[in-house]
Amino acid sequence: MHDSQGPAGRPGLVAPPHQRLGRLTCVAATILLIVSVLTGAGSFAGSAQAATAGPCDLYAAGGTPCVAAHSTTRALYAAYGGALYQVRRSSDGRTQNVGVASAGGVADAAGQDAFCAGTSCVITVVFDQSGHGNDLAYQGPGGAGGSDTPASATSEALTVGGAKAYSLYINPGNSYWHDGHASGMPLGSAPQGAYMVTSGTHVNGGCCFDYGNSETDRKADGAGAMNAIYFGTSCWFGGCSGTGPWVQADLEYGLYSGGSQSWNQNQRAFTSRYVTAMLKNNGTSQFALKGGDAQSGGLTTLWNGALPPGYSPMKQQGAVILGSGGDCCATNTNQSLGTFYEGAVVSGYPSDATDNAVQADIAAAGYSPGSGGAGSGPLHAIGAGKCLDVPNSSTGNGSQVQIYSCSGAANQTWTATSSGQLTVYSGSSRLCLDASGKGTANGTKAITWPCNGQPNQEWSRNADGTVTGVQSGLCLDVGGASTANGAPVQLWACNGQSNQQWKLG
């Protein structure tokens, strides 16, 4: 399922030294790191506090070091202080790297907000924190080659340990790639592990939302040419439990929920807002799949057994893929969507103890939805000088909201909740701002609807004044940039215009 050239160049990054430890030292170090994470020493308390150990420190201690490590939200090593990703703004085409607020900490979202103020930005590169140079460039003209485009840099804001960050929010036609065959990626039948933190609410069945090892020629080169995590609602061979999304292995020529094309009774769906997905493969006989809630709890083992028939030995080529299948992007056939917060590819077959330590570190990181903080008051449409209004003070379901002269009335008083909702009225009349029909297309109506906890009722209030739908990544927009009373409000692709800027209170 996959994609040829890596980025033409990259800024020099100083990565922390990582050395393999002796076997006894590895065991001792892993135990110490697990203890430190489980007792809270590895948690974040805002962007200024660094982690005691990050996921890649834990992998290194277990003798399976990261050879590719990517995140838009935080450092994956306690000592990492370099760039996480690069953004490009539409106003003048300039780029800027977004790093961490402090070594081992959370992304400097304020730096991105300042650079992108008054315009729109896309993410062009996600830098490799491992020191191997496996930086992921978008698959398209000016990037890694192909026909895809870079993802918006502001589709989803969230908090990590209380500090604001942005996700890599991938829609169909967005993807990233790098040829890492000479940069430490496992090749042939070499053992490999991988994990990613993704979202159980921004998914589809398009092929294929992957992260991991892929073909260097961006063609489907046969069984075993890929070794990547897939997360989505596609179940190629049937029998997956529920309606998904599922953690599966994209091994080329198939998405596998287990060791064959038949039903895996241990496979289950992961629908939480933040999901940990893991895959490890010894390259010759065995692979394992695990999943869990990235906010709390442990991992569920979905498969731990034989490789599917025809996949031994593996034939890994060493490209790194993110957001698509490997053969997709020369003809722009990438139809997948998903969210990427962090992930890594490691050399070797991680132990279960290391898997558990990494999951504990992720849960301690403090992933949480929404931004902009709680608050209540009128939601001002900046471009029009009016307020978001429920027509005729309706308390019925499905009213499309509009802009109207500000009055301070109840039908213009909105409350931003800690879970990212925007509510109007109170008590039994309480309603939520809702993307009608869970729509993700331009022109989707913004309506009021009973609050139900679904992602089409979750909103991110961003520093640039936009309000973006968590499910769609689209901006709350005054139709036709109108300034007239009664102008309808809808969802539309973010464009940096004043009819997409709002202020609460």
Side-chain angles (χ1 to χ4, degrees):
M1 285 145 270
H2 313 212
D3 303 84
S4 181
Q5 299 163 311
R10 62 183 293 272
L13 299 179
V14 179
H18 310 295
Q19 298 177 340
R20 286 183 181 251
L21 305 176
R23 190 169 186 269
L24 293 176
T25 305
C26 287
V27 173
T30 302
I31 292 171
L32 287 172
L33 287 168
I34 292 171
V35 170
S36 71
V37 170
L38 293 178
T39 57
S43 65
F44 289 96
S47 61
Q49 182 175 336
T52 299
C56 285
D57 298 310
L58 295 166
Y59 279 120
T64 52
C66 292
V67 294
H70 306 99
S71 178
T72 62
T73 61
R74 64 170 182 146
L76 302 183
Y77 296 92
Y80 187 79
L84 298 180
Y85 59 99
Q86 180 188 85
V87 295
R88 184 180 70 209
R89 63 189 183 195
S90 61
S91 58
D92 58 9
R94 288 182 58 195
T95 60
Q96 178 169 295
N97 292 348
V98 178
V100 289
S102 62
V106 180
D108 178 19
Q112 173 183 314
D113 288 339
F115 181 74
C116 299
T119 186
S120 60
C121 277
V122 294
I123 295 176
T124 51
V125 181
V126 184
F127 294 116
D128 176 15
Q129 300 178 33
S130 76
H132 286 266
N134 287 311
D135 302 334
L136 294 170
Y138 72 93
Q139 292 195 96
S147 301
D148 271 4
T149 58
S152 168
T154 57
S155 289
E156 183 197 14
L158 65 150
T159 60
V160 180
K164 182 180 179 181
Y166 287 102
S167 71
L168 182 64
Y169 197 87
I170 289 177
N171 284 315
N174 305 146
S175 66
Y176 296 77
W177 184 87
H178 176 73
D179 182 354
H181 81 277
S183 305
M185 286 288 289
L187 303 177
S189 61
Q192 174 191 288
Y195 88 94
M196 71 171 168
V197 177
T198 182
S199 172
T201 62
H202 179 229
V203 295
N204 73 355
C207 185
C208 293
F209 187 70
D210 291 344
Y211 175 66
N213 199 321
S214 181
E215 292 98 334
T216 56
D217 59 4
R218 288 189 272 201
K219 297 179 181 178
D221 289 335
M226 289 189 64
N227 189 13
I229 303 168
Y230 166 79
F231 190 71
T233 59
S234 180
C235 183
W236 280 34
F237 305 123
C240 299
S241 176
T243 58
W246 302 284
V247 179
Q248 299 179 75
D250 189 343
L251 304 179
E252 192 55 276
Y253 285 13
L255 301 176
Y256 287 89
S257 65
S260 70
Q261 295 184 1
S262 61
W263 180 55
N264 172 16
Q265 64 181 359
N266 292 323
Q267 183 61 237
R268 51 150 291 188
F270 291 90
T271 59
S272 58
R273 177 65 179 272
Y274 306 102
V275 175
T276 303
M278 286 186 178
L279 164 68
K280 54 186 180 181
N281 186 331
N282 73 1
T284 57
S285 61
Q286 180 180 0
F287 80 112
L289 291 165
K290 299 182 181 183
D293 187 327
Q295 291 182 289
S296 64
L299 296 166
T300 297
T301 298
L302 308 170
W303 176 259
N304 185 12
L307 284 163
Y311 287 84
S312 178
M314 293 291 292
K315 303 173 182 64
Q316 300 166 118
Q317 296 186 16
V320 191
I321 194 78
L322 172 56
S324 74
D327 59 352
C328 76
C329 299
T331 56
N332 200 26
T333 58
N334 178 23
Q335 296 300 312
S336 67
L337 61 78
T339 310
F340 182 84
Y341 302 102
E342 63 175 81
V345 178
V346 308
S347 176
Y349 194 86
S351 68
D352 289 339
T354 299
D355 294 341
N356 293 337
V358 170
Q359 167 63 5
D361 178 86
I362 293 166
Y367 277 95
S368 183
S371 68
S376 184
L379 190 59
H380 295 274
I382 302 300
K386 291 184 167 61
C387 285
L388 187 68
D389 176 283
V390 182
N392 303 312
S393 297
S394 172
T395 57
N397 299 344
S399 296
Q400 183 175 11
V401 294
Q402 62 184 10
I403 58 168
Y404 212 86
S405 298
C406 298
S407 65
N411 66 319
Q412 293 184 357
T413 301
W414 298 86
T415 298
T417 72
S418 59
S419 58
Q421 295 170 324
L422 285 167
T423 67
V424 64
Y425 308 131
S426 59
S428 61
S429 298
R430 180 173 179 262
L431 297 170
C432 271
L433 187 66
D434 176 290
S436 180
K438 298 185 178 180
T440 58
N442 284 344
T444 296
K445 294 179 180 180
I447 64 172
T448 52
W449 197 263
C451 300
N452 55 30
Q454 298 299 305
N456 63 312
Q457 293 185 351
E458 294 180 19
W459 307 88
S460 292
R461 291 161 43 231
N462 306 308
D464 61 0
T466 58
V467 176
T468 50
V470 165
Q471 181 185 47
S472 66
L474 301 176
C475 273
L476 198 65
D477 175 286
V478 180
S482 174
T483 61
N485 282 340
V489 175
Q490 60 188 2
L491 297 184
W492 201 267
C494 300
N495 55 30
Q497 302 302 307
S498 62
N499 65 313
Q500 295 183 348
Q501 293 183 313
W502 305 84
K503 181 179 179 181
L504 183 66

